[in-house]
Each structure stands twice: as structure tokens, then as C-alpha cells.
Amino acid sequence: DGCKANQVISDANNPQVGGVRAQITPAARPEVLHGKTYSIRTGYGDMLVTINSLSDDDPFEVICQLGKSGASETAKAEAIGKLASTLLRCSVSPEIVIKQLEGIVGGSPIIGKHGTISSIPDALAKIMRIHTANVQVKQVPAMMKCPECEGTNLQAEGSCIKCIECGWKSCS
């Protein structure tokens, strides 16, 4: 009856319906990256998650390795890592990746050190959340003032902000 022919969502490549396909290209992987490797127990065995970053500590790449599990589960862990990496390399916020993965339920949930781990994607989300919570302050916003002395000579010190003029620290 032709009822689908006029739907905008029917064909993004059809200029008659005004569809536009965005071209997003992941950033190229540098030869050397630095990162942290975390271990988390899943219902399929221990999973090692390596989160590599560029110099600014933003996650750039995620590598998931599942030990002593079947080939199918190992492949799923690798695939989740590669998909998360592609999103991160396209400048998608780690928080968006985390929100999409957390809470996915698989066939072998367990309760461990990190709470309930309901699947491989859920385990990755938990590790990414831990990693992003530990990222240290690198730069203080230019317009920020010290709450003690109103000074503007502030600098990052670990995960805190310190006022050079009066010694105030955000972590004290």
C-alpha cells in the first residue's frame, strides 16, 4: 500500500527524504599508550581490563581479556572492549559508554568485591567507573577563585586544587 515509502526513517541515504549520514572516524591509535590494568571477577572467570589513555588521562582504549573461559565468552569480552574503544576514540564521553554497559544481565551473575557483576559488559562498566573516578585534576579553570582568599593563583596537586597564595586545599 506504500505506507512506508514516505517515512523519514526508512532510508537515511535517500535524498528525497532528507536523510543525512554523519561520518565519524575514530582517532588513530598512537604507537605507544600508557594505562592501568584492573582485575575483576565475573561469572565466567577473572577478567583483566586495561584502560589506556592519551597524555590527558581521558580513556582512549579498553582491552578486555577473559581468562579460563570458553572461546565464545572470550570473544564477547574482546568485542565489548573493541566497541568501547571505538566509541572512546570517537570522543564519546566515558560516562555515556558506562551508562550503556552497566546493568546488562548475563547468564552467570556473581557477587564479589565490586558488588553484583551481572555480565561481562557490566564488569567493564564498573571498572571504567572506578578508573574515571580516580582520574586526577590536571588543570584548574582560569576563572576559578580561592574560597578562602579570593586569589586566582590556583594549581592542580594530585586530585586536589591548591591555592598558592594562602595554602588552601580543596581536599582538606
Side-chain angles (χ1 to χ4, degrees), residues 58-60 62 83-101 128-129 132:
D58 284 335
F60 183 79
V62 177
L83 290 171
S85 293
T86 300
L87 291 170
L88 295 170
R89 289 173 50 208
C90 287
S91 299
V92 172
S93 160
E95 185 61 28
I96 290 173
V97 176
I98 291 166
K99 285 182 179 180
Q100 291 299 309
L101 297 176
M128 287 182 70
R129 188 163 303 288
T132 56

Side-chain angles (χ1 to χ4, degrees), residues 82-162:
K82 285 185 176 193
L83 290 171
S85 293
T86 300
L87 291 170
L88 295 170
R89 289 173 50 208
C90 287
S91 299
V92 172
S93 160
E95 185 61 28
I96 290 173
V97 176
I98 291 166
K99 285 182 179 180
Q100 291 299 309
L101 297 176
E102 67 187 351
I104 293 175
V105 179
S108 298
I110 64 164
I111 298 174
K113 175 180 161 184
H114 300 288
T116 301
I117 307 298
S118 56
S119 65
I120 292 168
D122 186 55
L124 175 57
K126 283 186 172 39
I127 292 299
M128 287 182 70
R129 188 163 303 288
I130 289 167
H131 180 82
T132 56
N134 289 331
V135 171
Q136 296 184 350
V137 175
K138 289 290 185 184
Q139 191 173 12
V140 177
M143 298 182 346
M144 187 172 179
K145 291 184 179 181
C146 173
E148 292 289 322
C149 71
E150 299 283 316
T152 57
N153 193 0
L154 304 174
Q155 73 178 27
E157 188 175 276
S159 59
C160 303
I161 298 171
K162 180 180 178 181

Side-chain angles (χ1 to χ4, degrees), residues 34-92:
H34 298 280
K36 293 182 180 178
T37 300
Y38 301 84
S39 178
I40 187 167
R41 182 171 291 285
T42 73
Y44 303 100
D46 290 339
M47 183 167 76
L48 295 177
V49 178
T50 300
I51 301 178
N52 291 321
S53 302
L54 297 172
S55 60
D56 60 4
D57 278 335
D58 284 335
F60 183 79
E61 173 182 73
V62 177
I63 301 169
C64 299
Q65 249 185 336
L66 193 58
K68 297 186 180 180
S69 187
S72 179
E73 303 312 326
T74 302
K76 288 177 190 174
E78 183 180 352
I80 293 294
K82 285 185 176 193
L83 290 171
S85 293
T86 300
L87 291 170
L88 295 170
R89 289 173 50 208
C90 287
S91 299
V92 172

